[in-house]
């Protein structure tokens, strides 16, 4: 940041001196100089739907896998509202794979869930349970905030 301000100040002096001599250099404002000199600009995350959950990618993937497995196993779990909203997509994808029922879909589900008995039960029960539904297989309901840190909690359940 100091380098950017120094650059802006030196450019202002050069421009003032050249204008005095009669030369014509393009005037550069200190704001434009500092914005171009600073390299760590953060961009907006337009249309990036993935909730990062404050975790690195590998930990986030492992968390979503385990939460998805437990939701399919128990049918309803209580977690933070952000985690519940983040796991809707993987749960819907696993149920869609189960409705397909092909060997390739079963192998894709096994690659995500890692529990052979759970995948087998899902592929047996999901096609008849969700035959008339084209998506939206789980519902997220807000509950009371958590007692220790007041974070918003929610219940995610299979419909």
């Amino acid at each position: 940041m100091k380098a950017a301000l120094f650059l802006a100040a030196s450019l202002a002096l050069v421009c003032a001196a050249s204008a005095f001599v009669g030369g014509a250099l393009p005037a550069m404002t200190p704001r434009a100089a500092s914005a171009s000199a600073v390299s760590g600009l953060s961009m907006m995350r337009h249309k990036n739907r993935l909730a990062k959950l404050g975790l690195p990618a590998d930990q986030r993937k492992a968390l979503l896998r385990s939460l998805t497995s437990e939701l399919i196993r128990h049918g309803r779990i209580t977690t933070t509202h952000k985690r519940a909203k983040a796991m809707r997509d993987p749960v819907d994808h696993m149920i869609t794979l189960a409705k397909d029922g092909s060997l390739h879909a079963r192998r894709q589900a096994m690659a995500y869930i890692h529990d052979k008995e759970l995948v087998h039960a899902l592929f047996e029960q999901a096609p008849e349970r969700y035959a008339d539904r084209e998506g939206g297989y789980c519902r997220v309901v807000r509950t009371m905030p958590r007692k220790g840190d007041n974070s918003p909690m929610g219940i995610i359940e299979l419909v």
Side-chain angles (χ1 to χ4, degrees):
M1 192 64 181
K2 288 181 181 179
L5 292 176
F6 176 73
L7 177 65
S10 63
L11 282 176
L13 288 174
V14 170
C15 289
S18 64
F20 180 72
V21 174
L25 284 176
M28 194 169 195
T29 63
R31 180 171 173 83
S34 65
S36 63
V38 177
S39 62
L41 293 177
S42 62
M43 303 297 291
M44 292 183 171
R45 299 184 65 238
H46 292 297
K47 294 197 175 188
N48 291 334
R49 292 185 55 213
L50 179 68
K52 292 196 173 186
L53 302 175
L55 295 172
D58 58 340
Q59 294 176 15
R60 180 174 54 245
K61 189 174 181 181
L63 175 73
L64 290 177
R65 278 181 176 187
S66 64
L67 286 174
T68 300
S69 299
E70 293 306 309
L71 178 64
I72 292 171
R73 181 175 288 120
H74 298 290
R76 166 188 275 197
I77 58 172
T78 301
T79 183
T80 63
H81 189 69
K82 294 272 187 185
R83 288 179 182 179
K85 285 175 67 175
M87 60 182 285
R88 284 184 299 189
D89 286 340
V91 170
D92 284 354
H93 184 60
M94 292 300 116
I95 293 175
T96 303
L97 288 175
K99 282 176 64 175
D100 179 22
S102 66
L103 178 62
H104 181 62
R106 187 177 293 264
R107 286 180 176 163
Q108 284 181 318
M110 278 295 300
Y112 192 80
I113 293 181
H114 297 308
D115 187 357
K116 192 172 183 176
E117 291 81 21
L118 184 63
V119 171
H120 183 68
L122 176 67
F123 272 70
E124 281 182 353
Q125 297 170 4
E128 59 267 6
R129 182 174 175 180
Y130 299 109
D132 58 339
R133 190 176 278 268
E134 291 297 321
Y137 304 112
C138 51
R139 144 185 336 123
V140 177
V141 180
R142 285 184 184 264
T143 59
M144 297 297 291
R146 189 161 50 198
K147 207 167 197 177
D149 59 354
N150 203 29
S151 65
M153 297 297 285
I155 295 174
I156 183 166
E157 58 189 1
L158 295 175
V159 178

